[in-house]
Amino acid sequence: MSVNETLFQRAQITTPGGVNSPVRAFRSVGGTPRFIKKALGPHFWDADDKQYIDYIGSWGPAILGHAHPEVIAAVQYAATQGLSFGAPTEAEILMAEEICKLVPSIEQVRLVSSGTEATMSALRLARGATKRDKIIKFEGCYHGHADSLLVKAGSGLLTFGNPTSSGVPADFTKHTLVLNYNDCEQLENAFEEFGDEIACVIVEPVAGNMNLIKATEEFLHSMRRLCTAHGSILIFDEVMCGFRVALGGAQSIYNITPDLTALGKVIGGGLPVAAFGGKAEIMAHLAPLGGVYQAGTLSGNPVAVAAGLTTLKLIQAPDFYSHLSKQTQKLVDGLNNLAKELQIDFCADAIGGMFGIYFCKEVPVSFDQVMRADADMFKRFFHEMLELGIYLAPSAFEAGFVSAQHSDSVIETTINAARVALRKINM
Ligand SMILES: *Cc1c(COP(=O)(O)O)cnc(C)c1O
């Protein structure tokens, strides 16, 4: 038995399913999860000492490549000064200043420890500030695991949602309206019917949790217009795409000013930091200034903030994002060329340092289209690639991530492996 298999068996004795977050369990692709021992640059190594080129990058945070020496040094220094105080620090001010500078729609920000906390708190804040209960989300967007966001569309058109997780009372989701991503007409209709009762719309402006799906310009701009017209708060969940698709996040690409933004992943540089922020007038509703309660023992933790702050500094290097985008595009171009060369219904797409691969003819623009891609081909491709030392997301419904350390030769190795893998699964 391999060390990975031994560890997986042992893990399942004391941890449900052997993992601390479900996608790590390889359930949707089958097989044994790899237990990671060490990571450096674009690579990591599993418990059997097999090396992989890593395309999940901790699901986004590892944008600088793993274990960047400046980030490690900052974390080591911070740790020598004490691990947690439960009282404010200057580093938190620096972190907030940096976020407000880089994302101009954020006038004030609060630090939390996970993306789930950020979106959950932004939602509560939006409801508190508008004194309304109803919210709109979109099928296929993931916003963490707060109760009122674990919802799928109801059975009828424009009916309120049903829980997607057991343990969530239907009563908690009856205020959540779930609409189709990139469907402007449905959004118009929803506002026409419920407009003045809607506290907020929450959206991933570049969706990365149903594979990669880009919002259309029209979709996001109508959303902005409708929210403004009806006094609803527009929340961009940029936990994944923030500092991933561009320095100013997806909002800088689409040129839209959301009222609130949720951040996470990259801003912690691999340690638990997330944030939500936006208009000062809305943020003033938060405790201790206002009546919306939110708190956290480890919020703004000094060691985590040291990693985040150093990461935010390093991604501001000139050409950082043009280089990252170029490397990601090279990967995607290479994969698209293979699809042509081998005549397979397969394609890839990218934005900034995020990419998607799809076993269908054309890049999907909706949740339904993603669902129609060939899941079986993906599974076989995933395992062939894993065998060849390329670690892709173990699910056809997740995006991929490239780091600044994914050099030309790393990309070339990946494309060569993909040629071998695609040939094999296409036989
Ligand atoms: C990852 C993610 C979250 C949840 O963040 P956690 O840190 O895992 O709680 C929320 N929204 C989006 C868009 C995400 O990608």
Side-chain angles (χ1 to χ4, degrees):
M1 210 165 30
S2 72
V3 183
N4 286 308
E5 284 164 336
T6 312
L7 290 176
F8 191 40
Q9 287 200 349
R10 213 175 103 205
Q12 289 174 82
I13 299 169
T14 48
T15 301
V19 294
N20 285 307
S21 195
V23 74
R24 298 179 194 169
F26 276 28
R27 284 290 176 103
S28 79
V29 290
T32 307
R34 304 305 191 255
F35 284 71
I36 306 306
K37 260 187 8 194
K38 175 189 159 79
L40 186 66
H43 295 111
F44 59 34
W45 289 264
D46 73 10
D48 289 297
D49 293 317
K50 185 176 166 77
Q51 176 183 294
Y52 300 87
I53 297 173
D54 174 21
Y55 285 103
I56 63 167
S58 182
W59 299 98
I63 195 164
L64 300 166
H66 289 287
H68 190 288
E70 281 183 54
V71 178
I72 301 294
V75 167
Q76 284 174 332
Y77 176 75
T80 65
Q81 303 303 299
L83 297 180
S84 178
F85 315 126
T89 61
E90 186 181 1
E92 291 164 87
I93 308 176
L94 294 172
M95 182 84 185
E97 287 171 348
E98 210 64 31
I99 292 172
C100 294
K101 178 188 91 184
L102 295 172
V103 186
S105 73
I106 301 182
E107 295 167 0
Q108 288 205 328
V109 63
R110 180 153 285 172
L111 300 182
V112 292
S113 302
S114 74
T116 293
E117 265 190 281
T119 52
M120 177 188 78
S121 308
L123 210 64
R124 184 182 303 137
L125 176 58
R127 284 170 157 161
T130 55
K131 303 197 163 47
R132 300 174 182 177
D133 291 339
K134 290 186 173 40
I135 63 168
I136 290 179
K137 84 171 283 286
F138 300 93
E139 191 96 287
C141 285
Y142 175 68
H143 303 293
H145 58 87
D147 283 343
S148 55
L149 291 166
L150 292 177
V151 189
K152 63 174 184 293
S155 48
L157 217 56
L158 295 188
T159 52
F160 283 79
N162 299 319
T164 51
S165 164
S166 66
V168 176
D171 267 2
F172 290 14
T173 58
K174 71 179 185 198
H175 300 294
T176 307
L177 188 57
V178 183
L179 305 180
N180 297 324
Y181 198 74
N182 276 338
D183 187 339
C184 298
E185 195 186 319
Q186 202 189 31
L187 187 63
E188 297 269 0
N189 293 343
F191 267 98
E192 200 163 297
E193 190 157 344
F194 303 107
D196 298 338
E197 300 167 65
I198 293 175
C200 65
V201 177
I202 184 166
V203 68
E204 284 183 77
V206 169
N209 288 286
M210 48 172 156
N211 208 324
L212 171 69
I213 305 272
K214 295 171 185 167
T216 63
E217 295 263 344
E218 190 198 356
F219 179 57
L220 294 181
H221 283 278
S222 17
M223 198 180 294
R224 175 67 279 181
R225 178 175 46 77
L226 289 164
C227 283
T228 304
H230 292 275
S232 308
I233 288 174
L234 177 58
I235 305 175
F236 270 14
D237 180 355
E238 297 220 36
V239 169
M240 184 180 278
C241 59
F243 300 108
R244 179 40 82 174
V245 298
L247 187 56
Q251 53 196 271
S252 71
I253 295 179
Y254 288 89
N255 197 17
I256 291 180
T257 307
D259 302 301
L260 293 176
T261 300
L263 295 168
K265 296 191 168 102
V266 169
I267 69 163
L271 288 188
V273 185
F276 65 102
K279 290 205 174 98
E281 157 201 338
I282 301 176
M283 295 300 283
H285 288 273
L286 272 185
L289 296 178
V292 178
Y293 192 69
Q294 184 277 331
T297 302
L298 293 178
S299 293
N301 172 270
V303 180
V305 164
L309 200 51
T310 310
T311 301
L312 290 187
K313 291 253 161 73
L314 290 166
I315 59 177
Q316 291 175 62
D319 298 330
F320 181 85
Y321 282 91
S322 58
H323 170 73
L324 182 71
S325 303
K326 208 167 71 200
Q327 295 311 98
T328 314
Q329 197 57 48
K330 278 180 201 162
L331 172 68
V332 160
D333 289 346
L335 294 173
N336 281 326
N337 288 339
L338 285 179
K340 263 188 244 146
E341 180 187 318
L342 305 171
Q343 299 189 328
I344 301 181
D345 288 347
F346 172 72
C347 56
D349 194 19
I351 178 167
M354 246 169 116
F355 67 94
I357 55 174
Y358 322 87
F359 280 91
C360 51
K361 268 202 178 67
E362 274 165 37
V363 173
V365 292
S366 70
F367 181 67
D368 284 349
Q369 287 174 9
V370 173
M371 293 302 284
R372 284 200 294 270
D374 192 331
D376 187 56
M377 283 287 268
F378 173 80
K379 238 187 255 184
R380 291 163 60 207
F381 181 64
F382 169 83
H383 281 292
E384 291 298 335
M385 290 294 271
L386 196 65
E387 197 53 43
L388 293 164
I390 314 291
Y391 193 103
L392 297 167
S395 159
F397 304 106
E398 302 288 349
F401 302 93
V402 168
S403 83
Q405 300 294 318
H406 284 67
S407 62
D408 285 352
S409 79
V410 163
I411 303 284
E412 202 182 304
T413 304
T414 308
I415 294 168
N416 289 335
R419 180 179 289 107
V420 173
L422 287 172
R423 273 206 183 118
K424 199 153 169 191
I425 64 170
N426 199 37
M427 283 197 305

